[in-house]
Amino acid sequence: MPNTTETYDSRYLEGIRYFNEREYFEAHEVWEDLWKDDTGPARHFYQGLIQIAVCLYHFGNGNAIGARKLFYSSHRHLDDYPPSYLGLDLKKLLMDLQVCCAEILASEEKFPKVKIRAELIPEIHLDH
C-alpha cells in the first residue's frame, strides 16, 4: 500500500513543494537538512534529489557546466534505487530530467549557451 502524505517527513514534502514551484535553492536547503539527519537507506536518495534541484538551479541560471556535472552526480546517487521510492516515480523523474537537460548533455562546447525550456522542467508528484 502506498504511503500517505502523513507518513512522509515534512521536510521531504516541503522540498517537493519548493521543487514544483521551481524554487530549487530552497528545495535543496530543505532536503539537505533532511539528508544530514538521515542515516538510513534513503540518505543517498535525498542526496540525489538535492543534486537534481541544484542541477536545475544551475541550468536556470545559465551555468550549463554545473548543471551537467550535477545531472551525472544525481544519477550516481539514484540509479540503484527502485523505479518508485518513497512514493516518487523516480524512473519518470530521471527520464524527465534527461529530456530537460538533453541539449546541455549533447553539447560538445566547453561553455554551452543553452537556455532551460520551461515546458520541459520536471515536477514531482507522489503516488498516494
Side-chain angles (χ1 to χ4, degrees):
M1 183 168 101
N3 286 336
T4 62
T5 55
E6 293 82 39
T7 63
Y8 297 121
D9 188 295
S10 62
R11 295 170 293 182
Y12 177 55
L13 299 174
E14 184 179 11
I16 291 170
R17 181 178 57 79
Y18 279 130
F19 186 92
N20 289 340
E21 292 172 355
R22 300 180 180 170
E23 298 288 342
Y24 302 116
F25 184 82
E26 288 77 5
H28 145 269
E29 288 287 303
V30 171
W31 284 333
E32 189 171 66
D33 186 47
L34 178 57
W35 168 75
K36 287 177 183 176
D37 289 346
D38 194 282
T39 59
R43 190 162 204 271
H44 285 285
F45 173 77
Y46 296 134
Q47 191 169 10
L49 291 181
I50 291 164
Q51 292 178 343
I52 288 174
V54 176
C55 168
L56 293 170
Y57 177 80
H58 284 318
F59 195 178
N61 287 319
N63 180 358
I65 294 170
R68 185 185 298 147
K69 179 181 172 188
L70 274 294
F71 173 88
Y72 289 118
S73 64
S74 69
H75 275 270
R76 284 193 296 276
H77 287 284
L78 296 171
D79 283 346
D80 290 336
Y81 283 91
S84 181
Y85 191 79
L86 289 180
L88 189 150
D89 186 341
L90 187 56
K91 182 178 178 181
K92 180 179 182 344
L93 176 61
L94 292 175
M95 285 190 310
D96 290 351
L97 184 66
Q98 174 80 37
V99 170
C100 180
C101 294
E103 265 189 278
I104 60 170
L105 298 174
S107 176
E108 294 181 10
E109 294 177 32
K110 185 168 182 168
F111 300 102
K113 300 288 184 209
V114 179
K115 292 197 182 280
I116 195 166
R117 292 177 47 196
E119 70 274 11
L120 298 179
I121 296 174
E123 289 188 350
I124 297 173
H125 301 284
L126 298 180
D127 304 330
H128 40 144

